């Protein structure tokens, strides 16, 4: 087993404990508390970070509000765009450093972490094009008075935004939310997941280096239970954007009602993936395997429910098993690794619990389901495939957030869509076919925010992303997300 050598910059970063960033100043938590950050591949503690509390929340909100009402509000659209372009350049320059931090704290293979770091720069660069394109309009109104009247609209930033992001894509999720905040002229309090704060700290260091005014971006690390609710309840927070579980999303939404702040939520999923009988079986099976095993299955859009036409069920199962067994399981810093550990012991226990329950409830375990014998330490689990002919086991119904695929067969097209839509979630769906008419017909019937045809997990900053039903409120990315961070003001001028 070969292990990638950490860059000197990464070693230097890890030699200092992580601090909060409030009002342009790096500082310890008010109560002096801290939290360890674990490497899920070997259970070592790679660093500690400040554990923010409610007093730190109040400080960060005050700093963000002061920046919003002060220097940032006076910053021109062109200047905001230039600052964002500088940030994108810095992200590119520090790609390998960011990737190594992602792998250290999240566990994902280094190749995947490099891809995540590269996409972060592209996302910021996309949103850097927006500041000069956020426009109002003139409206032809017809007042009852009959007086000539000019009516125009203004698009204004909503204000102070709390951004709460998950651990599965610890850099991507930060910039998904930070991009539109900076583009629209809002200010931010960024709260990374307690498992993966390191890359967020490095990101904010680059924000500082890019030259953004103090208070525009603030950072609170630590436990979500100590920070999330105070942010959601705070009367001076104007918007909260959260990505995570549906259960926590409900609590965030409830807390946000105090001042009726804007809320956007990107929540859970149990996404259906469909293989039609005319599909290219090898391509479809590989796409289905990648759709669930990528990132150790820790993806909100993971294709965890696979519906396979009964005429091709056996060859698809054979191909899925081959793909699952071909994965090289190991530490993410080993370049040969294609499947790393899940992020924590808690997540490992959750996945193992579902594997046991799946068998107990009648699903047939086709492959996987065990801890790798050669890896004594770390939160590793084999990629697993179930066949559930009755579609009743928990593994076919509940979000697992691990490398666990449940396969079901189908024969009648009339029942297929109803079965695929029979879920409280509606984040993503996919289908594999060479029949163009069937592809468009099914895409229109699937209740999901993203539908992928002969592909999976394709995202782009120019295209909206979000879910139906209990998969969330609102959309991220694209022009749609600009609405989520702006208010529209209507101005009337009597010209009589």
């Amino acid at each position: 087993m070969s292990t990638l050598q950490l860059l000197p910059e990464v070693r230097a970063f890890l030699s200092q404990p992580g601090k909060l960033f409030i009002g342009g100043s790096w500082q310890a938590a008010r109560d002096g508390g801290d939290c360890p950050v674990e490497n899920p591949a070997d259970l070592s503690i790679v660093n500690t970070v400040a554990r923010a509390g409610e007093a730190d929340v109040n400080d960060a909100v005050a700093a963000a509000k002061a920046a919003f009402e002060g220097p940032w509000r006076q910053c021109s659209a062109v200047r905001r765009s230039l600052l964002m372009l500088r940030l994108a350049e810095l992200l590119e320059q520090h790609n390998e450093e960011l990737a190594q931090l992602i792998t250290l704290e999240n566990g994902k293979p280094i190749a995947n972490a490099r891809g995540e770091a590269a996409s972060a720069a592209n996302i910021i660069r996309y949103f850097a094009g927006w500041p000069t394109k956020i426009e109002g309009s003139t409206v032809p109104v017809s007042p009852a008075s009959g007086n000539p009247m000019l009516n125009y609209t203004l698009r204004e930033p909503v204000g102070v935004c709390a951004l709460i992001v998950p651990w599965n894509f610890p850099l991507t999720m930060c910039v998904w939310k930070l991009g539109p905040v900076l583009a629209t002229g809002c200010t931010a309090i960024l709260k990374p997941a307690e498992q993966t704060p390191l890359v967020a700290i490095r990101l904010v260091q680059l924000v500082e280096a890019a030259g953004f005014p103090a208070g525009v971006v603030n950072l609170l690390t630590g436990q979500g239970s100590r920070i999330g609710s105070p942010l959601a309840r705070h009367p001076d927070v104007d918007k909260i954007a959260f990505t995570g579980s549906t259960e926590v999303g409900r609590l965030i939404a409830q807390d946000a009602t105090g001042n009726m702040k804007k809320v956007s939520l990107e929540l859970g999923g149990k996404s259906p993936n469909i293989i039609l009988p005319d599909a290219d079986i090898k391509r479809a099976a590989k796409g289905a395997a990648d759709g669930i095993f990528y990132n150790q299955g820790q993806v909100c859009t993971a294709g965890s429910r696979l519906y396979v036409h009964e005429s091709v069920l056996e060859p698809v199962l054979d191909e899925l098993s081959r793909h699952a067994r071909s994965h090289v399981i190991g530490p993410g810093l080993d370049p040969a690794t294609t499947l790393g550990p899940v992020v924590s012991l808690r997540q490992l226990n959750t996945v193992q619990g579902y594997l046991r329950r799946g068998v107990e409830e009648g699903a047939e375990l086709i492959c996987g389901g065990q801890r790798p014998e050669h890896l004594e330490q770390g939160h590793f689990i084999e990629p697993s495939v179930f066949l559930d002919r009755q579609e009743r086991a928990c593994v076919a119904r509940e979000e697992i957030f691990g490398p666990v695929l449940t396969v079901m067969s189908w024969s009648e097209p009339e029942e297929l869509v109803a079965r695929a839509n029979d879920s409280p979630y509606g984040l993503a769906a996919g289908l594999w076919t060479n029949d163009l008419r069937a592809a468009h017909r099914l895409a229109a019937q699937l209740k999901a925010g993203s539908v992928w045809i002969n592909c999976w997990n394709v995202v782009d900053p120019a295209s909206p992303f979000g879910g139906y039903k209990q998969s969330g409120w609102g959309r991220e990315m694209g022009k749609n997300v600009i609405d989520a961070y702006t208010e529209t003001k209507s101005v009337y001028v009597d010209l009589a």
Side-chain angles (χ1 to χ4, degrees):
M1 179 185 300
S2 62
T3 302
L4 190 71
Q5 292 299 309
L6 295 180
L7 292 173
E9 298 90 333
V10 173
R11 294 186 182 278
F13 176 88
L14 297 175
S15 69
Q16 299 293 325
K19 294 183 177 181
L20 312 179
F21 189 65
I22 299 175
S25 173
W26 293 96
Q27 57 197 65
R30 282 231 188 179
D31 65 4
D34 58 28
C35 298
V37 180
E38 179 191 76
N39 180 346
D42 62 13
L43 312 188
S44 64
I45 302 301
V46 295
N47 206 345
T48 59
V49 300
R51 185 191 63 188
E54 190 160 358
D56 303 298
V57 169
N58 293 335
D59 290 345
V61 174
K65 184 177 180 181
F68 177 71
E69 295 177 348
W72 191 234
R73 194 66 177 265
Q74 306 307 316
C75 189
S76 70
V78 169
R79 177 63 178 158
R80 291 203 310 273
S81 181
L82 291 173
L83 287 169
M84 296 179 71
L85 290 171
R86 175 59 180 153
L87 176 58
E89 291 173 359
L90 289 171
L91 288 168
E92 283 186 337
Q93 291 171 15
H94 294 271
N95 178 283
E96 181 65 15
E97 183 183 343
L98 294 164
Q100 290 186 9
L101 288 173
I102 291 169
T103 294
L104 276 172
E105 60 184 350
N106 170 276
K108 68 178 62 181
I110 188 64
N112 294 351
R114 287 168 178 153
E116 181 173 348
S119 73
N122 291 334
I123 292 164
I124 292 295
R125 186 168 285 111
Y126 167 80
F127 281 109
W130 269 106
T132 57
K133 300 170 185 65
I134 300 172
E135 303 171 336
S137 61
T138 56
V139 182
V141 294
S142 303
S145 67
N147 289 351
M149 194 77 66
L150 170 65
N151 176 246
Y152 62 92
T153 63
L154 300 172
R155 297 283 295 281
E156 300 180 341
V158 68
V160 176
C161 303
L163 314 176
I164 303 177
V165 301
W167 45 258
N168 57 337
F169 293 95
L171 181 57
T172 300
M173 294 294 99
C174 286
V175 296
W176 269 26
K177 291 174 170 53
L178 200 56
V181 164
L182 299 176
T184 56
C186 296
T187 57
I189 301 105
L190 178 62
K191 163 60 180 77
E194 61 195 77
Q195 298 89 345
T196 54
L198 300 181
V199 76
I201 293 173
R202 191 68 186 104
L203 167 64
V204 174
Q205 288 178 348
L206 297 179
V207 168
E208 183 184 23
F212 287 87
V216 171
V217 177
N218 305 273
L219 175 70
L220 298 175
T221 57
Q223 297 160 325
S225 58
R226 290 169 54 91
I227 307 172
S229 182
L231 279 172
R233 288 187 283 105
H234 203 291
D236 287 334
V237 172
D238 302 295
K239 174 184 169 57
I240 191 158
F242 170 79
T243 296
S245 71
T246 298
E247 178 184 8
V248 176
R250 288 193 186 98
L251 299 176
I252 293 287
Q254 291 168 10
D255 284 339
T257 58
N259 69 338
M260 300 300 292
K261 58 175 57 69
K262 286 179 175 287
V263 178
S264 56
L265 304 170
E266 197 265 283
L267 307 176
K270 189 68 176 176
S271 300
N273 200 357
I274 298 167
I275 298 180
L276 274 64
D278 68 298
D280 180 326
I281 297 304
K282 288 187 179 295
R283 181 184 178 191
K286 184 182 186 305
D290 292 344
I292 182 63
F293 300 141
Y294 172 66
N295 209 44
Q296 295 69 247
Q298 299 168 135
V299 185
C300 54
T301 55
S304 52
R305 289 189 291 151
L306 182 64
Y307 293 91
V308 182
H309 191 270
E310 60 183 7
S311 66
V312 294
L313 178 61
E314 292 305 320
V316 168
L317 286 174
D318 289 343
E319 284 292 306
L320 290 171
S321 297
R322 184 176 67 81
H323 284 294
R325 295 187 175 106
S326 70
H327 272 289
V328 178
I329 306 173
L333 288 176
D334 181 348
T337 292
T338 62
L339 194 86
V342 295
V343 76
S344 65
L345 178 61
R346 177 179 179 180
Q347 194 62 27
L348 176 64
N349 289 338
T350 295
V351 174
Q352 289 183 302
Y354 273 108
L355 290 168
R356 288 192 297 269
R357 286 178 56 197
V359 173
E360 291 168 358
E361 294 174 5
E364 179 185 351
L365 185 62
I366 302 298
C367 67
Q370 303 297 320
R371 299 285 309 276
E373 294 182 358
H374 67 289
L375 295 167
E376 297 179 359
Q377 290 185 312
H379 308 309
F380 296 97
I381 191 74
E382 293 176 342
S384 307
V385 178
F386 279 102
L387 176 62
D388 185 7
R389 297 183 184 278
Q390 301 302 315
E391 201 175 341
R392 293 175 182 171
C394 61
V395 292
R397 310 295 303 172
E398 300 174 21
E399 184 177 37
I400 300 172
F401 228 62
V404 181
L405 174 65
T406 305
V407 180
M408 285 77 66
S409 63
W410 64 276
S411 58
E412 298 299 328
E414 295 77 14
E415 297 178 1
L416 174 62
V417 172
R419 291 169 64 188
N421 288 336
D422 184 19
S423 170
Y425 302 111
L427 191 56
L431 54 104
W432 301 82
T433 180
N434 288 313
D435 185 335
L436 187 61
R437 290 176 298 178
H440 288 297
R441 186 173 63 251
L442 286 170
Q445 293 175 295
L446 292 168
K447 295 179 180 178
S450 295
V451 178
W452 293 299
I453 300 172
N454 294 330
C455 57
W456 192 269
N457 229 20
V458 179
V459 294
D460 189 279
S463 182
F465 179 90
Y468 287 27
K469 299 186 279 187
Q470 293 183 37
S471 286
W473 293 348
R475 292 295 181 269
E476 306 224 54
M477 301 195 294
K479 65 181 181 181
N480 301 69
V481 77
I482 300 300
D483 291 336
Y485 290 89
T486 55
E487 298 278 17
T488 299
K489 177 183 291 182
S490 180
V491 180
Y492 286 87
V493 182
D494 191 331
L495 301 177

